[in-house]
Amino acid sequence: MAEDAQKPKRKIGIGALAIGLIILAAIGFILYNALGDREAPRVDLAAGKNFTCTVQSVYDGDGPINCAERDLNGNQVRVRIRGIEARDSDNSCRHPNLCPQMSGAEAKAILERFAVGRLECTSFGPSYNRVDAFCRNASGQDLSCEMLKSGAAVRWEQYDPDGRLLPCVRARPGGAARQ
C-alpha cells in the first residue's frame, strides 16, 4: 500500500482543459443551430408575389390548404385555390350556379392527391382569412386545372377573368364546355 501512496496523481493540463471547452462549445453551437430556431418561415402574400406552401392539411376541394408557413404578421398561411368552386365538405353549394356534380368528400380526396409536399403559389391577394392563389405541386401540376379536369370543381369566371383555366375545363356530353 505504501507503493500506491507514492504514485504521482494525474493532473489535467491547461491544454486538455482548453480542448475540452472548445469541444463543448462546438456541441452547444451545433445543437443551438439544429434545434434552437424552429419558427416557420414567413412569406409575403401580397398580390403578385410568389410563395411556398408546405402542405399540412386540406379542408375541402377548393381549400383552404393549410400551410406550415406564416404570413408577415405571423398567421398561418391558408390558401384558397383560385378560379374554381367545389362542393363544401358538408356537400353543400354556396353558389348553386357553380355546383359540380362530384361530392365534397370526393373533391377533397382529389385535391389531397395533388396538394402534397411543397407547393409553389402565386398570390392574387386576400380572400377572407385566406390567400387567393394559383398553385403548382412538385410535379408541376396546376391544382386549379387538375381539379377542373377531374370534374371535382367548376370554373368560377369571376376569379378567372382572363380565361387562364378555359383549356382545363371538361367538355360536357354533347361537346359544350362546362364553365
Side-chain angles (χ1 to χ4, degrees):
M1 284 203 195
E3 290 177 21
D4 288 337
Q6 292 179 357
K7 285 187 180 179
K9 292 185 178 179
R10 289 194 123 159
K11 294 183 181 180
I12 297 177
I14 295 226
L17 187 59
I19 290 172
L21 287 174
I22 290 170
I23 291 171
L24 282 174
I27 291 171
F29 177 78
I30 291 168
L31 287 175
Y32 175 79
N33 285 306
L35 303 173
D37 187 14
R38 290 243 179 238
E39 186 175 320
R42 303 275 176 125
V43 294
D44 186 351
L45 301 177
K49 295 284 188 174
N50 294 322
F51 65 95
T52 299
C53 168
T54 306
V55 177
Q56 292 184 318
S57 64
V58 172
Y59 183 73
D60 66 24
D62 52 25
I65 297 172
N66 298 307
C67 309
E69 291 74 13
R70 302 275 174 190
D71 66 17
L72 297 178
N73 295 321
N75 300 313
Q76 181 181 27
V77 173
R78 299 175 49 162
V79 176
R80 167 56 161 95
I81 301 301
R82 181 157 179 87
I84 65 169
E85 178 71 0
R87 287 184 181 263
D88 291 332
S89 58
D90 65 0
N91 219 32
S92 65
C93 286
R94 288 189 212 148
H95 309 281
N97 59 330
L98 295 170
C99 198
Q101 293 296 314
M102 196 173 289
S103 75
E106 290 170 311
K108 177 183 177 183
I110 289 172
L111 184 56
E112 286 175 326
R113 283 200 310 258
F114 291 114
V116 293
R118 184 165 281 176
L119 305 176
E120 295 299 326
C121 303
T122 301
S123 171
F124 282 78
S127 173
Y128 300 96
N129 61 345
R130 305 164 296 190
V131 59
D132 186 31
F134 280 122
C135 297
R136 292 187 176 279
N137 61 19
S139 299
Q141 295 168 305
D142 180 301
L143 301 186
S144 299
C145 192
E146 296 302 324
M147 293 302 288
L148 290 170
K149 288 194 289 189
S150 73
V154 294
R155 178 177 169 260
W156 195 344
E157 187 176 356
Q158 178 180 347
Y159 296 100
D160 184 36
D162 60 355
R164 176 184 181 275
L165 295 173
L166 282 173
C168 307
V169 175
R170 284 176 59 176
R172 288 183 184 177
R178 283 169 47 186
Q179 299 293 313

